[in-house]
Amino acid sequence: MALRATAVDTGPVRDLARNSRTATAEVVVTGDPQPRPGNGRRVIIIRARVETIPGAKVRVPVLLIASHDRWLHLVPSQRVRLHGRFVPPRGADLLAAVVIVRGPPAVLRPPSKIQRAAERVRARLRAASSRLPPDQRGVLPGMVVGDTSLLDPALADGFRAAGLSHLLVVSGANLAIVIGAVLGLCRLGGLGRRRAPPVAVLAVLAFIVVARPEPSVLRAAVMGLIGMLALFTGRQRQGMPALAAAVLLLVLIDPGLARSYGFALSVLATAGLLVLAPPWRERLARRLPGPLADALAVAAAAQLAVAPVLVMLSGEVGVVSVFANLLAAPAVAPATLLGALAAATAPFSLPLARLLVWPAGLAVGWIIRVARTAAALPYATIPWTSGGLGAATLIVAAGIAVLILRSRRMRLIVAAAMTGILIAVLVQRATAPGWPPPGWQMVACDVGQGDALALSTAPGQAVVVDTGPDPAPVDRCLRRLHITDVPVLILTHPHADHINGTSGVRRDRDVHTILTTSLTSGREARLTHGLPTRSAQAGQQWRIGDLTLSVLAPTATGPALAPEDDGTTINNASVVVVARRPGFSALLAGDIEAEAQRALESAVPPVDVLKVPHHGSRSQDHRFLAAAHASISLISVGEPNDYGHPSPATLRLLHHLRTQVHRTDKEGDIAIVRTRTGIATVPSRAP
């Protein structure tokens, strides 16, 4: 670890980063490109190894941040030339630099033969799965080879909330199923006890190549190889020594794993299965059928072992994860085995692979149903302190729970207390209005650093304005509002934090019309295919029920946007709308900045609610904000964010205008309701 840390902390690449220098470099791609939502456009994250910079040959790991679509088509082991700015890395990863790449890559060398073969297998598996429903199409390759490129982020978030996210990465469970199947086939084929392990070793190595050598894959593979070595030599296998040997070997090969939370989770889960599951299984078997005792012990042991690290990362404790894993477990083996068989046959016979994928899709469909149902349950996760303090308090709480379970008197006291709390909660839920509040007019959804709003038009129906940076948060918000029909979806401008959640709005909902800025560059087209799209222009009016939408901007005379336009130009092309109904009005100003605000000052009518432009950035015009005369101002913003939003100067300006300021990062989803005396806000959580 010390040697690796020294290598990345010194040398010419780190010198470039310290000085934020721009340079040309030759790098070898070491990981699959991962698209991420960014501020204004999609960001592509790629792990790579720098091998040449001007005047020096090096060999250090870096993280590339690119935006050109050609980066998405790269495969590990490809050598490319790039031009970019080197900056110091943040966080605990052992990286020499982060490189902000400009333009497309220049490919110098194709992938290795092994990686080309692996990519062909992954591509053919995706092709074989293409006739499955979209959700199954995204999950099956993830379960089989760790390929989540087609996975809907909203569905991935549901898997996380249900405690099933481990199924979306290749882990020890996947490898155990594959190894077991290979050894079984070897036995059926007449291979003896000593000839079967070498065949299984080859299967494991092929599995590693296809699934990529991610930390969980490497850990599972080394554990499997150590076990088969013991089987091959005739020695008795010992679980914990094998795990310790695997950890030591992997950390020596890649010291960066010592700082990998994914690797830590994988090791802890295995340790839980080895240490906690056997005695729990014995105790449960006294009162439950054997298979049920086995499944419950395994699920509970793995979940308890990884809980402290999960709390450190997420600040949440999963409540339903054990039961979700129990329900999903019967479908995991069929989905994995049939999917692996389809992956093996797809390069040679796509029709046969499609035949195998169909029953695998049925098994995956059951797992998806379990994940969605569990994630939608009230209190599927409960808040907890994050970081080291959260992990420590969870361990203390677990210790206290063990002491309580050992004492019959304490069990009775705690059971009585929990019963009282449960009754109080039920009474409160029965008497309190809950969320969403009845008769809500508008809701600013908490989608992080982005915008998404809903304007009620009828029960179960709402106009949606922007969709946030990710599908999952806006989907959750609309589900809480019980929205199933969207007559108009307004995408104010083509920045990722306003449009990348569009698939979340479309999930299980009817979206009738898309309204976009007439100055668009067309970036949102990939998210709105198949839906009627209209261009918004100043002077237009839309009426849905008793809600009227009046478009103030953009004007038809403005220049069309180009993909390379900067952030300010695109922001100022935002659709600006005034929403009105009896007893309620709102000005929804997108991300327009001071220049566009000044052009609209004379057209701004007095309203009840102002959606503060551009997340409360510093670029605001005092007269534009004052013209709205809004009693309530909403700021949709994420915490933390790298932009300094909302600006202290903007907050002071709003305070000077005597408007109530409400923020989604402090209050969660914020509803606007009508009262006898006017309008009021109802946040989903206390600020």
Side-chain angles (χ1 to χ4, degrees), residues 536-596:
Q537 294 181 0
Q540 288 179 340
Q541 279 199 346
W542 295 71
R543 188 173 181 86
I544 305 99
D546 66 347
L547 180 71
T548 301
L549 303 174
S550 302
V551 179
L552 300 187
T555 60
T557 57
L561 297 175
E564 64 273 10
D565 283 333
D566 63 16
T568 298
T569 303
I570 296 177
N571 287 341
N572 285 333
S574 294
V575 177
V576 179
V577 174
V578 174
R580 289 189 181 278
R581 65 155 44 93
F584 167 79
S585 59
L587 172 61
L588 312 179
D591 273 4
I592 59 171
E593 300 187 23
E595 179 184 3

Side-chain angles (χ1 to χ4, degrees), residues 1 86 159 168 328 375 387 484 494 574 588:
M1 174 64 73
F86 290 68
F159 269 72
L168 300 177
T484 58
S574 294
L588 312 179

Side-chain angles (χ1 to χ4, degrees), residues 42-282:
R42 180 171 54 178
V43 172
I44 303 166
I45 307 296
I46 312 164
R47 290 191 172 271
R49 182 178 65 246
V50 175
E51 297 204 337
T52 301
I53 60 173
K57 290 187 176 182
V58 293
R59 190 181 175 86
V60 291
V62 295
L63 188 71
L64 310 180
I65 300 179
S67 58
H68 198 284
D69 284 346
R70 281 172 57 185
W71 286 96
L72 282 173
H73 305 301
L74 296 182
V75 175
S77 76
Q78 274 188 287
R79 187 183 181 102
V80 300
R81 182 184 295 114
L82 59 83
H83 187 74
R85 183 165 59 91
F86 290 68
V87 297
R90 300 178 181 178
D93 285 346
L94 288 175
L95 299 171
V98 172
V99 186
I100 313 299
V101 181
R102 299 176 180 174
V107 177
L108 304 177
R109 185 182 69 199
S112 64
K113 291 182 179 179
I114 292 178
Q115 289 293 350
R116 283 203 299 271
E119 185 58 29
R120 174 174 169 78
V121 171
R122 293 163 73 96
R124 296 289 281 182
L125 178 59
R126 290 194 296 269
S129 306
S130 62
R131 296 184 179 178
L132 294 175
D135 289 340
Q136 298 176 19
R137 188 189 314 157
V139 171
L140 182 61
M143 292 186 64
V144 177
V145 295
D147 182 359
T148 57
S149 58
L150 300 177
L151 182 64
D152 188 333
L155 181 57
D157 192 70
F159 269 72
R160 181 200 59 77
L164 297 174
S165 56
H166 61 91
L167 298 179
L168 300 177
V169 296
V170 175
S171 62
N174 305 65
L175 197 60
I177 293 170
V178 172
I179 291 174
V182 171
L183 291 176
L185 290 173
C186 289
R187 182 171 295 180
L188 290 175
L191 295 180
R193 182 169 175 269
R194 294 187 177 275
R195 285 184 293 173
V199 177
V201 168
L202 293 177
V204 170
L205 294 177
F207 193 86
I208 294 172
V209 172
V210 174
R212 311 290 195 217
E214 297 294 332
S216 62
V217 180
L218 290 174
R219 194 277 308 161
V222 172
M223 278 290 294
L225 290 173
I226 290 174
M228 283 188 291
L229 180 62
L231 177 63
F232 183 72
T233 58
R235 297 180 181 179
Q236 185 178 4
R237 286 177 288 177
Q238 297 292 330
M240 286 305 294
L243 177 62
V247 171
L248 180 61
L249 178 61
L250 290 171
V251 172
L252 287 174
I253 293 173
D254 184 3
L257 293 179
R259 296 185 178 185
S260 169
Y261 284 110
F263 183 65
L265 289 170
S266 185
V267 172
L268 287 173
T270 304
L273 297 180
L274 294 172
V275 176
L276 300 177
W280 289 3
R281 183 188 302 118
E282 291 179 7

Side-chain angles (χ1 to χ4, degrees), residues 588-622:
L588 312 179
D591 273 4
I592 59 171
E593 300 187 23
E595 179 184 3
Q597 292 175 23
R598 283 192 288 271
L600 286 175
E601 284 172 14
S602 60
V604 173
V607 293
D608 299 316
V609 180
L610 167 68
K611 200 290 293 185
V612 179
H614 200 198
H615 322 293
S617 73
R618 187 179 183 85
S619 182
Q620 307 289 339
D621 180 72
H622 178 277

Side-chain angles (χ1 to χ4, degrees), residues 417-443:
M418 294 300 293
T419 301
I421 293 172
L422 179 60
I423 292 173
V425 170
L426 292 176
V427 170
Q428 181 185 22
R429 290 185 66 88
T431 57
W435 181 267
W440 61 272
Q441 304 296 302
M442 182 176 83
V443 170

Side-chain angles (χ1 to χ4, degrees), residues 20 24 43 55 70 94 170 233 243 276 296 314 334 346 385 444 448 497 514 527 534 547 611 647 656 669 680:
S20 294
T24 300
V43 172
R70 281 172 57 185
L94 288 175
V170 175
T233 58
L243 177 62
L276 300 177
L296 184 58
S314 65
T385 303
D497 58 335
I514 304 289
L527 301 168
R534 301 279 299 274
L547 180 71
K611 200 290 293 185
S647 165
H656 176 73
D669 300 337

